């Protein structure tokens, strides 16, 4: 789900800001964590949501679309932070 990308991004952002890094670096760290979280969904079996109605063979090795979207949004935000 989207949370698979949002939760690691939020944690990474909090830790980066607490460590005193710049806003730009903190945003990039959060975006990277979101991308890793999204990629981690590729090996998960859907048990809820729309993906649970799709045959597992069709989804195998594909990251969750919602998590991937979050990772892309956060990457765009990180690119825009100056």
């Amino acid at each position: 789900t989207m949370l698979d990308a949002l939760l690691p991004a939020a944690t990474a952002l909090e830790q980066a800001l607490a460590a005193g890094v710049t806003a730009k670096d903190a945003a990039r760290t959060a975006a990277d964590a979101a991308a890793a979280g999204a990629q981690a969904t590729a090996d998960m079996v859907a048990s809820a949501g729309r993906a649970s109605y799709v045959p597992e063979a069709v989804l195998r090795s594909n990251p969750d679309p919602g998590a991937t979207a979050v990772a892309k949004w956060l990457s765009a935000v990180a690119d825009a932070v100056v």
Side-chain angles (χ1 to χ4, degrees), residues 1-9 30-42 44 62-75:
T1 68
M2 296 170 89
L3 291 175
D4 292 307
L6 281 171
L7 294 177
D32 291 345
Q39 188 57 45
T41 65
M44 294 180 184
N62 292 305
D64 178 79
T68 300
V70 167
K72 293 202 179 287
W73 299 335
L74 291 179
S75 182

Side-chain angles (χ1 to χ4, degrees), residues 23-43:
K24 184 166 187 66
D25 289 342
R28 176 54 47 203
T29 298
D32 291 345
Q39 188 57 45
T41 65
D43 297 325

Side-chain angles (χ1 to χ4, degrees), residues 14-81:
E14 285 181 293
Q15 291 173 346
L17 292 174
V21 302
T22 66
K24 184 166 187 66
D25 289 342
R28 176 54 47 203
T29 298
D32 291 345
Q39 188 57 45
T41 65
D43 297 325
M44 294 180 184
V45 176
S47 61
R50 283 184 267 171
S52 66
Y53 301 104
V54 179
E56 184 180 341
V58 173
L59 297 176
R60 188 173 299 126
S61 300
N62 292 305
D64 178 79
T68 300
V70 167
K72 293 202 179 287
W73 299 335
L74 291 179
S75 182
V77 168
D79 290 344
V81 174

